[in-house]
Amino acid sequence: MSFALSTVRRRSLALAAVTLFGLVLAGCGINNVPTLEEKAKAAWSEVQNQYQRRADLIPNLVETVKGYASQEREVLTQVIEARAKATQVKVDASTITDPAKFKEYQDAQNALTGALGRLLVTVERYPELKSNQNFLALQSQLEGTENRVAVARRDYIQAVQSFNTEIRTFPGVIWARLFWGAKAMETFSATAGAEKPPEVKF
C-alpha cells in the first residue's frame, strides 16, 4: 500500500516538475522566436501578394496605352521586360534570410517601379488617353496597389525588426541559437534616387 502511494506521489511530483519547467520556459520567451518568425513570414506573404496584384494589372495598362500611344514602343517594352524579370525572381518565406536573393528580388521590383513611373509620365503627352475610362480605372487601381505595396512593406519591416531584435537580445538569443537555429531576416532599403521623380525626355 505504501509502495503504491509512493509511486503515485513520485508521478505527481514528476508531473508537477514537468509542468513547472514548461511554465518557466514559456515565461522566459522560448515561444517568442517562432511566433515573431511566423508574423514576419505572414507580412512577407502580403508583400508578395501586393506585388503580384501589381504585376497582374500591368498587361492591361500596357495594352490600353498601346492603343493610344503605340509610338512609345520603347517605354512599353521597358515595362513589359521589367514585369517579366520581376515575376521571375522568387523569394519565399524560407529564403528571406538570404541577402543576395532578397536584393535580387528588391532590385527587380524597383526596376519595375521605375519603368511604370516612366510610362505614367509619358502618358502626359496624350490627353485623349488620360481621359479614357479604361486607362483612368487602371491608373487608379495601380496607384491603390502602390499604396498597398508601401503599407505591406512597412508592416514587413516592422515584423522583421521585432524578430531580428528578439533573436539578438537576451533571453531570445539563447532560444534562437539553442532551440530554433533562427537567422536574421532581410529587410527593404530605400532605392538610390527614389526621392526623384522619373525623367522622360520628349
Side-chain angles (χ1 to χ4, degrees):
M1 183 80 166
S2 70
F3 177 73
L5 190 58
S6 174
T7 303
V8 169
R9 181 177 279 166
R10 270 192 234 137
R11 285 185 182 160
S12 296
L13 286 173
L15 182 60
V18 168
T19 304
L20 181 62
F21 183 70
L23 290 172
V24 168
L25 280 180
C28 287
I30 192 169
N31 291 324
N32 287 355
V33 172
T35 300
L36 292 172
E37 182 178 31
E38 290 306 314
K39 186 175 178 183
K41 285 179 180 179
W44 175 247
S45 295
E46 184 57 21
V47 170
Q48 289 183 301
N49 179 39
Q50 295 307 327
Y51 276 139
Q52 185 59 54
R53 184 175 192 273
R54 176 174 76 168
D56 292 344
L57 287 171
I58 289 170
N60 293 331
L61 181 70
V62 167
E63 286 305 311
T64 302
V65 173
K66 197 184 290 183
Y68 285 84
S70 57
Q71 64 271 32
E72 302 293 348
R73 202 166 280 130
E74 182 183 347
V75 177
L76 293 168
T77 302
Q78 288 173 355
V79 172
I80 292 165
E81 289 174 355
R83 179 192 180 272
K85 287 179 186 172
T87 55
Q88 286 173 356
V89 178
K90 299 290 183 199
V91 179
D92 60 25
S94 65
T95 56
I96 53 178
T97 55
D98 182 344
K101 285 196 75 97
F102 193 89
K103 184 175 183 332
E104 182 184 5
Y105 185 83
Q106 184 177 357
D107 289 347
Q109 293 298 335
N110 289 342
L112 179 53
T113 299
L116 276 173
R118 287 188 295 280
L119 175 63
L120 294 175
V121 168
T122 301
V123 164
E124 294 297 316
R125 293 179 61 193
Y126 301 92
E128 69 280 8
L129 173 57
K130 289 198 302 179
S131 64
N132 175 276
Q133 291 304 309
N134 286 341
F135 175 76
L136 291 173
L138 286 166
Q139 185 180 30
S140 175
Q141 288 182 43
L142 201 56
E143 287 169 356
T145 300
E146 291 300 322
N147 289 336
R148 290 177 185 180
V149 165
V151 169
R153 282 174 51 142
R154 182 203 64 203
D155 292 347
Y156 170 75
I157 289 167
Q158 289 172 347
V160 167
Q161 180 185 18
S162 297
F163 174 76
N164 287 349
T165 300
E166 179 67 23
I167 67 170
R168 290 181 176 146
T169 56
F170 185 81
V173 68
I174 295 169
W175 309 130
R177 290 186 184 165
L178 292 179
F179 289 96
W180 307 116
K183 294 180 184 174
M185 292 183 183
E186 292 299 307
T187 190
F188 290 100
S189 55
T191 310
E195 69 283 354
K196 299 175 189 169
E199 288 182 16
V200 176
K201 295 177 181 174
F202 299 123

